[in-house]
Amino acid sequence: ALAYPFSDAERAMVEAMPMRSLAGDAEEVRRQIDDLADRAGADEVMVTTFQPEPAERRRAVAALAHAFGLEPRAAGFTPAVPA
């Protein structure tokens, strides 16, 4: 599922979703967050996932943190914010 190639129809469906939902790999979601934050004038965002398994949620948050140039803390879940 992590490497699933979206069809044109699926990508169109995702793009038609309200901007409350973002989908894609970590780099794509980072670009979407950056764009949404720029359009909203936001200086911070809150992220949650739809994965039901805790390990998958941790992996997704860690991948997104890495896409933003952050490294997860030792516990492996909460991204560290650079000073």
Side-chain angles (χ1 to χ4, degrees):
L2 298 176
Y4 180 80
F6 285 98
S7 70
D8 291 341
E10 290 167 326
R11 178 61 61 191
M13 180 185 70
V14 169
E15 289 173 0
M17 289 180 182
M19 288 309 295
R20 294 180 302 258
S21 297
L22 307 177
D25 64 15
E27 287 296 326
E28 174 62 24
V29 172
R30 182 197 57 80
R31 285 189 292 273
Q32 292 175 46
I33 290 171
D34 283 343
D35 181 58
L36 181 59
D38 286 347
R39 287 188 287 131
D43 61 1
E44 66 182 23
V45 297
M46 187 183 315
V47 175
T48 190
T49 71
F50 293 111
Q51 284 98 349
E53 298 297 323
E56 283 299 305
R57 288 194 299 271
R58 286 190 294 274
R59 186 208 54 78
V61 171
L64 190 55
H66 182 74
F68 275 97
L70 305 172
E71 291 302 320
R73 291 188 179 149
F77 182 66
T78 306
V81 178

